[in-house]
Amino acid sequence: MLIGVINQKGGVGKSTTAAHLAYWLSRHRKQSTLVLDSDSQQSSSQWLQDMGMEFRVIDDPEELFETATDLADQYDAIVIDAPGVLGETTKSILLAIDLALIPVQAAQLDLASTEKIVRLVHNVQKVRNGNPHAAIFLNKAEKRSILLREARAALADISGIKLLETTIYRRTAIADAPGQSATVFNMSGEAAQVAAEEYEQLFTEALNYGKA
């Protein structure tokens, strides 16, 4: 399966999500997994290298599309960390992938900017007869906040894009993971364990939807 973690808004947690997803697929699902880092900041590359994960850095749109589609049969999963801008690279990712995973923060600016990525996803789905499957999830959320409830209501009825039930809450363990060259799946402490359970639930839900 080809999975793209996309959103043109910076700071929503694309690289963190991509790294945790790749680690989970590789170590917990025992799937051969490749990460394609197309973010010009290469936020996940050093982190992935320190964890011994297989990755490539590709920011050329045509090369990215060719590499992802050419290698699709050689890996159980390919995870693409998308750039924080809308452009040809993001379009190439959407044209190649089976599942678009879209992290969104429960904040007014983030919700307002979601309209742009939704429009792009819809345009590609028209060209590809409904593909890719696309799912939004709320990331870095604060529990029991009014914004969280409002965000879920605002995102619940977007045509062609599913709002996942699982929410990833803001936790220090997640923020600390890159600095420890780890993921919450192999960090100690109760906070990391809870975060790992949330991620596992999220990824399981997303993959089940992507295969539907």
Side-chain angles (χ1 to χ4, degrees):
M1 177 179 281
L2 275 69
I3 307 165
V5 184
I6 65 172
N7 193 326
Q8 85 284 359
K9 183 76 168 58
V12 297
K14 290 189 299 295
S15 295
T16 299
T17 301
H20 277 84
L21 174 58
Y23 185 92
W24 179 77
L25 288 167
S26 175
R27 303 297 196 267
H28 290 248
R29 286 292 182 95
K30 306 302 181 185
Q31 295 187 11
S32 57
T33 304
L34 171 69
V35 179
L36 299 180
D37 185 359
S38 65
D39 190 340
S40 60
Q41 298 182 21
Q42 299 180 20
S43 304
S44 56
S45 297
Q46 185 61 51
W47 185 9
L48 292 164
Q49 182 174 331
D50 291 343
M51 291 192 297
M53 300 292 296
E54 187 174 356
F55 72 95
R56 299 187 187 185
V57 178
I58 305 174
D59 58 9
D60 178 78
E62 293 183 5
E63 183 184 357
L64 182 62
F65 178 86
E66 291 171 358
T67 301
T69 54
D70 288 349
L71 296 180
D73 293 333
Q74 298 181 32
Y75 292 88
D76 297 320
I78 295 178
V79 178
I80 306 177
D81 184 9
V85 293
L86 289 185
E88 292 304 315
T89 300
T90 302
K91 290 178 185 177
S92 291
I93 292 170
L94 287 169
L95 288 168
I97 59 177
D98 304 302
L99 172 65
L101 193 54
I102 309 169
V104 176
Q105 290 191 90
Q108 292 296 340
L109 289 176
D110 292 75
L111 293 173
S113 71
T114 302
E115 182 179 345
K116 296 178 181 178
I117 191 65
V118 166
R119 183 183 299 116
L120 181 57
V121 169
H122 282 165
N123 288 341
V124 173
Q125 287 175 332
K126 290 176 184 177
V127 173
R128 296 185 61 199
N129 297 317
N131 291 315
H133 284 80
I136 288 178
F137 72 96
L138 285 159
N139 197 35
K140 300 183 180 181
E142 301 290 346
K143 284 195 173 184
R144 294 180 290 276
S145 70
I146 294 175
L147 268 176
L148 179 57
R149 293 196 300 271
E150 292 178 344
R152 293 202 68 84
L155 299 171
D157 297 318
I158 299 176
S159 174
I161 302 179
K162 179 179 178 60
L163 174 63
L164 298 178
E165 291 294 328
T166 309
T167 296
I168 301 298
Y169 293 98
R170 188 182 301 276
R171 300 186 190 279
T172 302
I174 297 174
D176 288 346
Q180 297 188 30
S181 300
T183 69
V184 294
F185 294 111
N186 57 329
M187 291 168 63
S188 59
E190 182 179 353
Q193 180 180 347
V194 173
E197 291 170 355
E198 289 175 357
Y199 271 128
E200 180 156 15
Q201 183 175 333
L202 173 75
F203 298 150
T204 301
E205 183 183 3
L207 292 186
N208 287 340
Y209 174 67
K211 294 174 182 177

